[in-house]
Amino acid sequence: MEPQLAALIRQSIADRYSLFAPEALADLPDTFTITDPCISGHPIVFASRAFLKMTGYSTHEVLGRNARLFQGPRTSRSSVMEIREAIREERAVEVSIVNYRKDGTPFWMLFRMSPVFGKEDGRVVHFVGVQVPILGRRRRSGVSSCDGDRVSECVFGGSCRREVCSDSLVELGGRVLDLDSADSQGLEIEGPCEANDLEKRIAATAVSNILSVLSHYSESTGRLVCGNRCNLPGPGLLTSSLNISLGRIKQSFVLMDPYLPDVPIVYASDAFLKLTGYSRHEVLGRTWIFLSGPDSDPSVLHQVSPFRLYSFFSSFDLVMMTSKDSSSFWNLLHISPIRNATGKIAYLVGVQNEELCKNQDRQGRTPEMWQLSVVGAVKVAVRSSSMVACSSK
Amino acid sequence: MMLKIKRVPTVVSNFQKEEGEEAARRGGGCGRNCLRSCCIQGAKLPLYAFKRVDKAVNEKGVLQHETTQPPVAFLDSLLLGEWEDRVQRGLFRYDVTACETKVIPGRYGFIAQLNEGRHLKKRPTEFRVDKVLQPFDGNKFNFTKVGQEEVLFQFEASENGEVQFFPDAPVDVENSPSMVAINVSPIEYGHVLLIPRILECLPQRIDRESFLLALDMAVEAGNPYFRLGYNSLGAFATINHLHFQAYYLAVPFPIEKAPTKKITTLDVGVQISELVNYPVRGLVFEGGNSLRDLSDTVSDACICLQNNNIPYNVLIADCGKRIFLLPQCYAEKQALGEVRPELLDTQVNPAVWEISGHMVLKRKKDYEEASEENAWSLLAEVSLSEERFQEVNALIFEAISYNADASGDEAENLLQDADVKPKTHEGVDAINQRSCPTMVTGNQECLVQQ
């Protein structure tokens, strides 16, 4: 793992819940992970002992990785979609899903995920994911991915839960031929599987235990958390789904909020921080003019000032920027307005391209085309992540 | 008897004129830098050559693949950058990111977009909907008539097995390159058309190679929110020139979340399931020992449908891991006057995107009143009846189990035979088929493989 990522992961838990929290969490008997949507790649920042034992991984193999590490060919894609959607909508979800251990053996588990909200600003700071292994195999008439509270609505749901597996091979009027044998452990992985009430209760209890530990330790840092959204996210705050989507874009860029005074930076990519040497909290909330170096052409800077930003759109200009260690560098800057799902301008994106001469890694594409691809990726991320069902807003 | 519907065709290119205008222009010089022989000589366009990995799906291999999270893939980045460039050059008819869009509250999360500009300035045109296979007609609009500036890049499998990009590659007319072009009436950001072997002027009809190219594109883009779609004639394709569509929408589609019921796993490792609890009946294909196995299975199913004159739509989702195949009968119902007027009033054409749960609405009223019930009742009209769906499945399973048994070359020959002697092509037959299930030749036994 890169040192920067390792540091971010340590801080993710310690800054919010104090240095003592990992120990307290480790003492819990539950199998769970905690992920941080604000770190690029939405990585695991904590994994419980029981979880490591169940999956066969060590801590350092799991921290910093995305939970898709545990998915494999037999993981139902529609269940993965459901989890993705819950993350996008910042809500809890419960789904039965096939995961894989380190040795490659698949197993069924009940996955229950719940967001953790920061009390002060209503932002999602973490997701807690509890994994309860499903013991014994229960079929649901061949219908997959109707889970949790949806089971009762499912046409086939519930009615034949205890159906014997061998019967299901001849369901659908004998048309089905199941060529796949059960896996090495004798647990059948094919087809759907439903957790029983006990397993569901275990998962629910675990989530509430973990949340109460987190909430307890958050008091010691003064940065309180809770399991339910207490506040709507304030202005200038990004949803976790937008953070996750933007985290996938590896180039250097910032998002600015044109509706706040001085058009402050509300998101800065990892590459931007690397380029300038600043840490995220030193950049967020500030107008990016502070980065411009003494040698910048004042007329260009004037255009970039908040009053003139709109006339600056869609052009490429050379500006001088200064990094934290006071070194200056030329930068090709491109600014574009970014609209959200309502079709209104929500942000400005500023895409940097450090110097023009470093063409070697661009595989034959001009710096301008690279910058435009960032604009495109940001447009997709912002538009899509602001499309939330109207009822939940 | 010939079945026709009237609809407003979508303008996909700035060079797509009303039929009358098109005729009036012919005869003079072209002068619009198109892809036909008048302008193509000496033309240079970016070329992206992808590495065709025929991944063997052993579980370990896939696991390793899953665990490395690549940064934004090159194709993804190329496509977004070129598309944004065309935005800034003003080639689109409207800014699609200025079109309001939302997720409709409810269990399924249908997505609605209000797009009032997409169908302006076009007259309704008659479309024949009772023939899934129709010959290519060079007099009608086709993609060789688009301007070169609408082409983003040429797309092909790399000859040396490595990803290659050439910003200014000469167009090799002899080798009939495949091209990715913008749709000037986008329904979402990054809306493009993949036109396989564009200069060969193939009609809208799936073949194995072209389908593999589309699947390659989904795999190569490596973005689960970049999906490809296909509409056959009779299932709301408007242009009879072989093409797939694709765009970005970083929201799960309702069809991707729909429960499925496994039907079978073929010898080649392709698992086939049936959608359940979804308004449109359809099949889901996934897995396969190699990408080609998956591709060939789906292509053979498509070829079977088009040879039997059954209109259908295809969605390639989840980076090419899952493919949805949806036979449909809406246009036929519409032509026969069996669709309720209130549904027709919305002018929503249920093509692949609508069927997948992404509804593009033309009227503000429909957008504001959009509800899960409305979306559901429209899509329910699109679906085949359960009885007909099972008949169609029987045909498909007969075709793919037959082809799976045959060795590669043999299978191709059989397919070509089938292409030469299509089973039913006349419109009258199509109607009869719907009302006369006895015509269907498939039987239950063909589904069982030992």
Side-chain angles (χ1 to χ4, degrees), chain B residues 267-289:
Chain B
D267 289 343
V268 291
V270 176
Q271 180 183 311
I272 306 172
S273 316
E274 186 180 322
L275 287 171
V276 284
N277 259 9
Y278 195 72
V280 184
R281 295 181 180 84
L283 295 176
V284 188
F285 297 76
E286 54 198 314
N289 296 335

Side-chain angles (χ1 to χ4, degrees), chain B residues 112-299:
Chain B
Q113 182 196 113
L114 175 61
N115 193 325
E116 294 172 302
R118 193 162 195 253
H119 290 82
L120 293 178
K121 296 181 196 163
K122 275 299 257 186
R123 294 192 300 259
T125 305
E126 282 199 332
F127 284 91
R128 188 165 180 191
V129 295
D130 56 2
K131 281 184 81 176
V132 174
L133 296 178
Q134 295 176 34
F136 183 86
D137 180 353
N139 291 324
K140 293 200 170 142
F141 173 78
N142 65 71
F143 299 111
T144 64
K145 299 183 184 180
V146 308
Q148 288 176 23
E149 69 276 17
E150 293 178 7
V151 176
L152 300 186
F153 51 88
Q154 310 178 64
F155 184 67
E156 64 177 38
S158 165
E159 281 171 9
N160 66 3
E162 289 305 317
V163 173
Q164 286 178 303
F165 178 70
F166 306 94
D168 273 311
V171 175
D172 183 358
V173 177
E174 298 305 308
N175 277 328
S176 192
S178 301
M179 292 193 189
V180 175
I182 56 171
N183 182 335
V184 301
S185 306
I187 66 171
E188 257 311 327
Y189 195 88
H191 195 167
V192 290
L193 307 163
L194 167 66
I195 307 132
R197 288 168 286 158
I198 185 167
L199 303 176
E200 284 181 29
C201 296
L202 305 166
Q204 185 75 335
R205 141 190 231 170
I206 293 273
D207 64 87
R208 281 183 166 196
E209 283 313 306
S210 302
F211 192 81
L212 180 60
L213 187 76
L215 193 54
D216 278 326
M217 188 169 182
V219 173
E220 191 70 9
N223 183 330
Y225 300 121
F226 180 73
R227 307 165 178 91
L228 282 98
Y230 177 87
N231 301 316
S232 78
L233 299 182
F236 297 98
T238 45
I239 294 161
N240 186 16
H241 184 180
L242 182 58
H243 66 285
F244 296 82
Q245 305 183 44
Y247 60 78
Y248 289 89
L249 185 59
V251 176
F253 278 173
I255 201 171
E256 295 172 321
K257 296 180 291 175
T260 55
K261 183 166 66 182
K262 186 179 156 184
I263 299 176
T264 187
T265 302
L266 302 178
D267 289 343
V268 291
V270 176
Q271 180 183 311
I272 306 172
S273 316
E274 186 180 322
L275 287 171
V276 284
N277 259 9
Y278 195 72
V280 184
R281 295 181 180 84
L283 295 176
V284 188
F285 297 76
E286 54 198 314
N289 296 335
S290 68
L291 197 64
R292 185 173 277 279
D293 288 330
L294 179 60
S295 179
D296 285 353
T297 304
V298 180
S299 320

Side-chain angles (χ1 to χ4, degrees), chain B residues 304-372:
Chain B
C304 162
L305 290 176
Q306 63 203 18
N307 285 346
N308 282 286
N309 205 25
I310 299 162
Y312 63 92
N313 307 88
V314 183
L315 177 74
I316 304 176
D318 213 353
C319 308
K321 289 194 191 80
R322 298 175 86 205
I323 301 163
F324 298 83
L325 176 60
L326 307 126
Q328 69 147 294
C329 60
Y330 188 88
E332 186 186 330
K333 276 189 191 171
Q334 188 179 342
L336 292 169
E338 293 174 8
V339 175
R340 284 180 286 135
E342 60 267 32
L343 289 179
L344 289 179
D345 282 351
T346 65
Q347 293 178 53
V348 174
N349 297 316
V352 56
W353 310 118
E354 286 76 11
I355 291 174
S356 304
H358 184 206
M359 306 286 171
V360 180
L361 300 165
K362 301 178 180 76
R363 297 189 303 189
K364 198 161 178 64
K365 172 176 168 288
D366 295 326
Y367 180 77
E368 280 163 358
E369 293 168 3
S371 67
E372 193 159 282

Side-chain angles (χ1 to χ4, degrees), chain A residues 103-368:
Chain A
D103 65 11
T105 54
F107 65 103
W108 273 105
M109 60 142 197
L110 176 67
F111 179 70
R112 189 184 174 104
M113 189 194 70
S114 191
V116 183
F117 297 95
K119 245 186 186 148
E120 77 277 15
D121 54 18
R123 200 165 62 92
V124 174
V125 293
H126 289 117
F127 284 96
V128 168
V130 167
Q131 297 86 1
V132 178
I134 298 176
L135 304 171
R137 187 69 219 303
R138 292 170 290 270
R139 272 201 175 250
R140 252 195 350 235
S141 261
V143 182
S144 71
S145 87
C146 337
D147 52 87
D149 53 353
R150 297 186 177 174
V151 169
S152 53
E153 297 166 41
C154 208
V155 235
F156 300 93
S159 58
C160 358
R161 258 185 45 190
R162 302 281 166 185
E163 193 181 351
V164 183
C165 294
S166 55
D167 287 347
S168 58
L169 293 180
V170 289
E171 67 198 18
L172 304 172
R175 291 196 304 125
V176 172
L177 182 75
D178 200 328
L179 294 172
D180 298 277
S181 55
D183 77 327
S184 54
Q185 302 207 330
L187 175 69
E188 199 181 336
I189 290 300
E190 276 300 319
C193 177
E194 195 200 350
N196 64 22
D197 291 343
L198 177 64
E199 287 150 356
K200 288 180 181 174
R201 256 198 323 273
I202 292 174
T205 312
V207 167
S208 93
N209 285 345
I210 298 157
L211 284 176
S212 74
V213 170
L214 294 179
S215 142
H216 173 75
Y217 278 88
S218 70
E219 286 170 18
S220 64
T221 66
R223 304 178 68 201
L224 299 181
V225 298
C226 50
N228 294 308
R229 197 190 286 279
C230 335
N231 273 314
L232 279 177
L237 282 173
L238 271 54
T239 62
S240 56
S241 74
L242 181 53
N243 258 310
I244 293 170
S245 308
L246 294 173
R248 295 200 190 99
I249 306 167
K250 299 301 174 194
Q251 290 97 327
S252 173
F253 69 97
V254 293
L255 279 198
M256 297 165 276
D257 187 335
Y259 300 109
L260 292 177
D262 290 338
V263 192
I265 294 174
V266 291
Y267 180 89
S269 71
D270 289 351
F272 176 85
L273 300 174
K274 209 170 169 182
L275 183 70
T276 59
Y278 287 97
S279 65
R280 189 158 270 128
H281 72 266
E282 290 172 311
V283 170
L284 294 188
R286 297 186 66 176
T287 172
W288 79 256
I289 300 291
F290 85 96
L291 291 163
S292 49
D295 299 335
S296 293
D297 178 348
S299 67
V300 172
L301 273 188
H302 178 64
Q303 286 180 40
V304 185
S305 73
F307 314 103
R308 300 289 302 278
L309 270 172
Y310 286 90
S311 63
F312 198 69
F313 290 160
S314 305
S315 64
F316 293 87
D317 283 274
L318 265 181
V319 294
M320 179 68 93
M321 279 175 69
T322 312
S323 56
K324 197 179 178 185
D325 62 8
S326 300
S327 62
S328 298
F329 54 91
W330 284 107
N331 184 359
L332 186 68
L333 175 74
H334 179 77
I335 293 183
S336 247
I338 305 290
R339 296 172 187 275
N340 65 14
T342 65
K344 307 275 185 317
I345 292 173
Y347 303 106
L348 306 178
V349 67
V351 189
Q352 292 78 29
N353 219 320
E354 190 191 355
E355 296 184 62
L356 294 170
C357 49
K358 293 186 179 170
N359 272 329
Q360 60 270 32
D361 287 343
R362 299 204 174 90
Q363 295 167 286
R365 296 174 65 203
T366 61
E368 287 84 356

Side-chain angles (χ1 to χ4, degrees), chain B residues 38-84:
Chain B
C38 46
C39 308
I40 198 74
Q41 289 308 322
K44 287 185 174 177
L45 290 167
L47 166 66
Y48 180 86
F50 63 91
K51 183 176 170 179
R52 184 168 275 168
V53 275
D54 228 9
K55 50 142 192 172
V57 186
N58 70 53
E59 301 206 339
K60 266 248 145 75
V62 167
L63 277 176
Q64 278 158 6
H65 174 72
E66 290 277 342
T67 54
T68 55
Q69 193 196 14
V72 174
F74 186 78
L75 176 62
D76 205 38
S77 159
L78 174 69
L79 200 151
L80 288 166
E82 295 285 339
W83 210 86
E84 180 64 23

